[in-house]
Structure formats: C-alpha cells, structure tokens
Coordinates of all heavy atoms in Angstrom, one line a residue:
P77 N 2.4 17.1 15.3 CA 1.9 16.8 14.0 C 2.7 17.5 12.8 O 2.8 16.9 11.7 CB 0.4 17.4 14.1 CG 0.5 18.4 15.1 CD 1.5 17.8 16.2
N78 N 3.4 18.6 13.2 CA 4.1 19.2 12.1 C 5.5 18.6 11.9 O 6.1 18.9 10.8 CB 4.4 20.7 12.5 CG 3.2 21.6 12.4 OD1 2.2 21.3 11.7 ND2 3.3 22.8 13.1
E79 N 5.9 17.8 12.8 CA 7.2 17.0 12.5 C 6.9 15.6 12.0 O 7.9 14.9 11.7 CB 7.9 16.9 13.9 CG 8.5 18.1 14.4 CD 7.4 19.1 15.0 OE1 6.5 18.7 15.8 OE2 7.4 20.3 14.6
R80 N 5.8 15.3 11.8 CA 5.4 13.9 11.3 C 4.8 14.1 9.8 O 4.2 15.0 9.5 CB 4.3 13.2 12.1 CG 5.0 12.9 13.5 CD 4.0 12.0 14.3 NE 3.7 10.7 13.7 CZ 2.7 10.0 13.8 NH1 1.7 10.4 14.6 NH2 2.7 8.8 13.2
Y81 N 5.0 13.0 9.1 CA 4.5 12.9 7.6 C 3.8 11.6 7.4 O 4.3 10.5 7.9 CB 5.6 13.3 6.7 CG 6.2 14.6 6.9 CD1 7.4 14.7 7.7 CD2 5.7 15.9 6.3 CE1 8.0 16.0 7.8 CE2 6.2 17.0 6.6 CZ 7.4 17.2 7.3 OH 8.0 18.4 7.6
G82 N 3.1 11.6 6.4 CA 2.5 10.3 5.9 C 3.4 9.9 4.8 O 3.3 10.6 3.7
Y83 N 4.2 8.9 4.9 CA 5.0 8.4 3.9 C 4.3 7.3 3.1 O 3.8 6.3 3.5 CB 6.3 7.8 4.5 CG 7.3 8.8 4.8 CD1 7.2 9.4 6.1 CD2 8.4 9.0 4.0 CE1 8.2 10.4 6.4 CE2 9.4 10.1 4.5 CZ 9.3 10.7 5.6 OH 10.2 11.6 6.0
I84 N 4.4 7.5 1.7 CA 3.7 6.6 0.8 C 4.8 5.5 0.7 O 6.0 5.6 0.4 CB 3.5 7.2 -0.6 CG1 2.4 8.2 -0.5 CG2 3.2 6.1 -1.5 CD1 2.2 9.0 -1.8
K85 N 4.4 4.1 0.9 CA 5.2 3.1 0.9 C 5.3 2.4 -0.5 O 4.2 2.1 -1.1 CB 4.8 2.0 2.0 CG 5.0 2.6 3.4 CD 4.7 1.5 4.4 CE 5.0 2.1 5.8 NZ 4.8 0.9 6.8
V86 N 6.4 2.3 -1.0 CA 6.7 1.6 -2.4 C 7.5 0.4 -2.2 O 8.2 0.2 -1.3 CB 7.2 2.7 -3.3 CG1 6.4 3.9 -3.5 CG2 8.6 3.1 -2.9
G87 N 7.4 -0.4 -3.3 CA 8.2 -1.7 -3.3 C 7.6 -2.8 -2.4 O 8.2 -3.8 -2.1
S88 N 6.3 -2.5 -2.0 CA 5.7 -3.6 -1.3 C 4.7 -4.5 -2.1 O 4.2 -4.1 -3.2 CB 4.7 -2.9 -0.2 OG 3.8 -3.7 0.2
P89 N 4.6 -5.7 -1.9 CA 3.7 -6.6 -2.4 C 2.2 -6.1 -2.5 O 1.5 -6.5 -3.2 CB 3.8 -8.0 -1.8 CG 5.2 -7.9 -1.1 CD 5.3 -6.4 -0.7
K90 N 1.9 -5.3 -1.5 CA 0.6 -4.7 -1.4 C 0.2 -3.9 -2.6 O -0.9 -3.6 -2.9 CB 0.5 -3.9 -0.1 CG 0.7 -4.8 1.1 CD -0.5 -5.7 1.4 CE -0.4 -6.4 2.8 NZ -1.5 -7.3 3.1
E91 N 1.3 -3.2 -3.1 CA 1.1 -2.2 -4.2 C 2.4 -2.0 -5.0 O 3.3 -1.4 -4.5 CB 0.7 -0.8 -3.7 CG 0.3 0.1 -4.8 CD 0.0 1.5 -4.4 OE1 0.6 2.0 -3.4 OE2 -0.9 2.1 -4.9
N92 N 2.4 -2.7 -6.1 CA 3.6 -2.6 -7.0 C 3.3 -2.8 -8.4 O 2.7 -3.8 -8.8 CB 4.6 -3.6 -6.5 CG 6.0 -3.5 -7.2 OD1 6.5 -2.3 -7.3 ND2 6.7 -4.5 -7.6
P93 N 3.3 -1.9 -9.3 CA 3.9 -0.4 -9.1 C 3.0 0.4 -8.2 O 1.7 0.1 -8.2 CB 4.1 0.1 -10.4 CG 3.1 -0.6 -11.3 CD 3.0 -2.0 -10.7
S94 N 3.5 1.6 -7.7 CA 2.7 2.6 -7.1 C 2.5 3.6 -8.1 O 3.4 4.1 -8.8 CB 3.4 3.1 -5.9 OG 3.5 2.0 -4.9
R95 N 1.2 4.1 -8.2 CA 0.9 5.3 -9.1 C 0.6 6.4 -8.3 O -0.3 6.4 -7.5 CB -0.5 4.9 -9.9 CG -1.0 6.0 -10.7 CD -2.5 5.5 -11.2 NE -3.1 6.4 -12.1 CZ -4.0 7.3 -11.8 NH1 -4.3 7.4 -10.5 NH2 -4.6 8.0 -12.6
I96 N 1.5 7.4 -8.4 CA 1.5 8.5 -7.3 C 1.3 9.8 -8.1 O 1.8 9.9 -9.3 CB 2.9 8.6 -6.5 CG1 3.1 7.3 -5.8 CG2 2.9 9.7 -5.6 CD1 4.5 7.2 -5.3
S97 N 0.5 10.7 -7.7 CA 0.1 11.9 -8.3 C 0.6 13.1 -7.6 O 0.9 13.1 -6.4 CB -1.4 12.0 -8.6 OG -2.1 12.4 -7.5
A98 N 0.6 14.3 -8.2 CA 1.0 15.5 -7.6 C 0.0 16.1 -6.6 O 0.3 17.0 -5.9 CB 1.1 16.6 -8.7
H99 N -1.2 15.4 -6.4 CA -2.1 15.6 -5.4 C -1.5 15.5 -4.0 O -1.7 16.3 -3.1 CB -3.3 14.6 -5.6 CG -4.4 14.7 -4.6 ND1 -4.2 14.2 -3.3 CD2 -5.6 15.3 -4.7 CE1 -5.4 14.4 -2.6 NE2 -6.2 15.1 -3.5
D100 N -0.5 14.6 -3.9 CA 0.2 14.4 -2.6 C 1.5 15.0 -2.6 O 2.3 14.6 -1.6 CB 0.2 12.9 -2.3 CG -1.3 12.3 -2.2 OD1 -2.1 13.1 -1.6 OD2 -1.6 11.2 -2.6
M101 N 1.9 15.9 -3.5 CA 3.2 16.5 -3.4 C 3.1 17.7 -2.4 O 2.2 18.4 -2.3 CB 3.6 17.1 -4.8 CG 4.8 17.8 -4.9 SD 5.1 18.4 -6.5 CE 3.9 19.7 -6.7
F102 N 4.1 17.7 -1.5 CA 4.3 18.7 -0.5 C 4.8 20.1 -1.3 O 5.8 20.1 -1.8 CB 5.2 18.4 0.6 CG 4.8 17.5 1.6 CD1 4.6 16.1 1.4 CD2 4.1 18.0 2.8 CE1 4.2 15.2 2.3 CE2 3.7 17.2 3.8 CZ 3.6 15.8 3.6

C-alpha cells in the first residue's frame, strides 16, 4: 500500500475539466 497511489485521471470524457483541490495534495 505504501508503494501505490490513487491517481486522479484527467482528460477523460467522464470529467473534463477536472476541478482538483489541495485536499488531495500529498
């Protein structure tokens, strides 16, 4: 689990544009 991350996917028809916040900043 420490070597894996949840990547936010951008550029997809499912969500474009993507509104991303500092909530999910590492």
Side-chain angles (χ1 to χ4, degrees):
N78 286 343
E79 289 73 49
R80 297 185 64 201
Y81 300 94
Y83 280 80
I84 295 171
K85 293 186 175 182
V86 300
S88 164
K90 299 286 188 180
E91 185 187 34
N92 192 41
S94 296
R95 173 189 184 268
I96 299 167
S97 80
H99 181 280
D100 294 326
M101 178 180 70
F102 282 83

